[in-house]
Amino acid sequence: MNIYVSNLSAILNSQDLTKHFSRYGTVASANIVTDKFTNQSKGFAFIEMPDDREAQKAITELNGTLLDGRSIVVNEARPRKDRY
């Protein structure tokens, strides 16, 4: 399952996210979205967890919790809508 995480601290890195989410199961990948010009974090990321039950548990238990001093928003990623 692909998980969307927002309101992330700018100093957080992919390893931090992997460690934080791996308490709930296997993390296949953790990708923090960055600005293509400044290479700075945009404050959100996508976490891929192969086991849907583990991913759902992570979503339920981590949504609204503090990570690096910020209350994070965690939910299932939705497909990107076409921009027209």
Side-chain angles (χ1 to χ4, degrees):
M1 177 184 293
N2 202 12
I3 301 170
Y4 173 77
V5 186
S6 63
N7 200 32
L8 296 174
S9 165
I11 62 170
L12 209 62
N13 62 40
S14 295
Q15 292 83 7
D16 295 331
L17 277 179
T18 299
K19 183 178 177 183
H20 195 67
F21 276 79
S22 65
R23 294 184 285 159
Y24 298 92
T26 303
V27 175
S29 65
N31 298 308
I32 295 175
V33 178
T34 57
D35 182 275
K36 63 182 176 183
F37 299 110
T38 65
N39 207 31
Q40 291 185 346
S41 170
K42 288 190 170 190
F44 66 95
F46 293 96
I47 311 291
E48 180 67 38
M49 295 182 77
D51 186 308
D52 286 351
R53 284 188 331 221
E54 293 173 350
Q56 194 57 55
K57 183 174 171 93
I59 291 168
T60 302
E61 294 191 17
L62 290 175
N63 186 40
T65 61
L66 290 179
L67 178 60
D68 208 29
R70 298 185 70 156
S71 178
I72 61 172
V73 177
V74 183
N75 50 45
E76 185 174 352
R78 294 184 299 263
R80 188 173 181 177
K81 293 180 182 175
D82 290 334
R83 292 190 230 168
Y84 289 107

